[in-house]
Amino acid sequence: MTDVPAPAEREEDYFDVAAHVLELLVERGETLAVAESLTGGMVAAEITAAPGSSRAFRGSVTAYATDLKRELLGVDGALLEERGAVDEDVARAMAEGVQAALSASWGVSTTGVAGPDEQDGQPVGTVFVAVAGPHGTVCRALKFDGDRAEIRKRSVSGVLGLLQGELAGNARKKGKEQDGGNGCLQP
């Protein structure tokens, strides 16, 4: 698991990340699509709360049920059967699937366990976020403490922060992620 910026302390800060992401997308003439599971539409809500979001935001798929991840986002059924929905490769496939399905320059995804119980053998607070872009896909494994609401809120911050870094060109690390490889960023 890796460290991510703490969720914004103030609502204005939280909103600023989404607004900055949109600004970067508009400047580049690029678009965004969102695939969500544990966040249940919260990422899309943050993006669309920013003025002018329609200039870059294509849409979202809230695939809460595992079968929808397969049917709507093209996540491999064997992968879901073998590992469950809370998995880095599932997050990656969700981001790539929504990017393709909604014809967007960028796709982002969230999948994880907000609680109160573990899921797919993963403990509460386990989250995977991914960003699929023109140069490949990066994934980040996260671990959060807190209640269901806090885990969900921090997951939104995590995926928006990862996207912001990718758009700004600052998140690429040496190694697999440099080439849009298959690794999920972990310490």
Side-chain angles (χ1 to χ4, degrees), residues 6-40:
E9 296 298 320
R10 301 178 333 217
E11 189 173 326
E12 300 86 39
D13 295 336
Y14 192 70
F15 177 76
D16 286 346
V17 175
H20 186 242
V21 161
L22 285 167
E23 179 182 306
L24 291 170
L25 288 166
V26 169
E27 284 175 5
R28 297 160 73 134
E30 296 176 335
T31 57
L32 174 65
V34 175
E36 300 184 67
S37 186
L38 86 148
T39 49

Side-chain angles (χ1 to χ4, degrees), residues 1-185:
M1 304 290 171
T2 190
D3 295 328
V4 293
E9 296 298 320
R10 301 178 333 217
E11 189 173 326
E12 300 86 39
D13 295 336
Y14 192 70
F15 177 76
D16 286 346
V17 175
H20 186 242
V21 161
L22 285 167
E23 179 182 306
L24 291 170
L25 288 166
V26 169
E27 284 175 5
R28 297 160 73 134
E30 296 176 335
T31 57
L32 174 65
V34 175
E36 300 184 67
S37 186
L38 86 148
T39 49
M42 292 171 63
V43 176
E46 282 304 309
I47 294 291
T48 58
S53 58
S54 62
R55 297 183 305 167
F57 185 66
R58 297 274 302 151
S60 65
V61 174
T62 301
Y64 210 69
T66 300
D67 62 318
L68 295 181
K69 291 171 182 63
R70 182 185 69 250
E71 294 169 15
L72 298 178
L73 299 172
V75 178
D76 182 63
L79 172 65
L80 289 165
E81 184 70 29
E82 178 183 326
R83 298 192 203 160
V86 183
D87 179 79
E88 67 183 80
D89 289 330
V90 171
R92 180 176 287 102
M94 288 173 64
E96 292 168 353
V98 79
Q99 178 189 26
L102 301 186
S103 302
S105 311
W106 296 84
V108 301
S109 70
T110 63
T111 188
V113 186
D117 301 315
E118 74 172 33
Q119 179 183 338
D120 299 329
Q122 297 285 357
V124 173
T126 302
V127 176
F128 295 95
V129 296
V131 174
H135 304 292
T137 304
V138 295
C139 177
R140 186 171 282 166
L142 311 170
K143 176 67 177 151
F144 298 125
D145 292 323
D147 64 14
R148 182 176 175 81
E150 184 67 17
I151 291 167
R152 294 175 75 218
K153 185 174 180 180
R154 292 186 76 182
S155 298
V156 174
S157 291
V159 76
L160 289 177
L162 183 59
L163 176 59
Q164 182 179 33
E166 287 299 304
L167 287 168
N170 297 326
R172 295 273 183 213
K173 307 273 188 206
K174 290 184 180 178
K176 289 183 180 179
E177 289 74 32
Q178 182 69 30
D179 299 316
N182 296 326
C184 198
L185 298 174

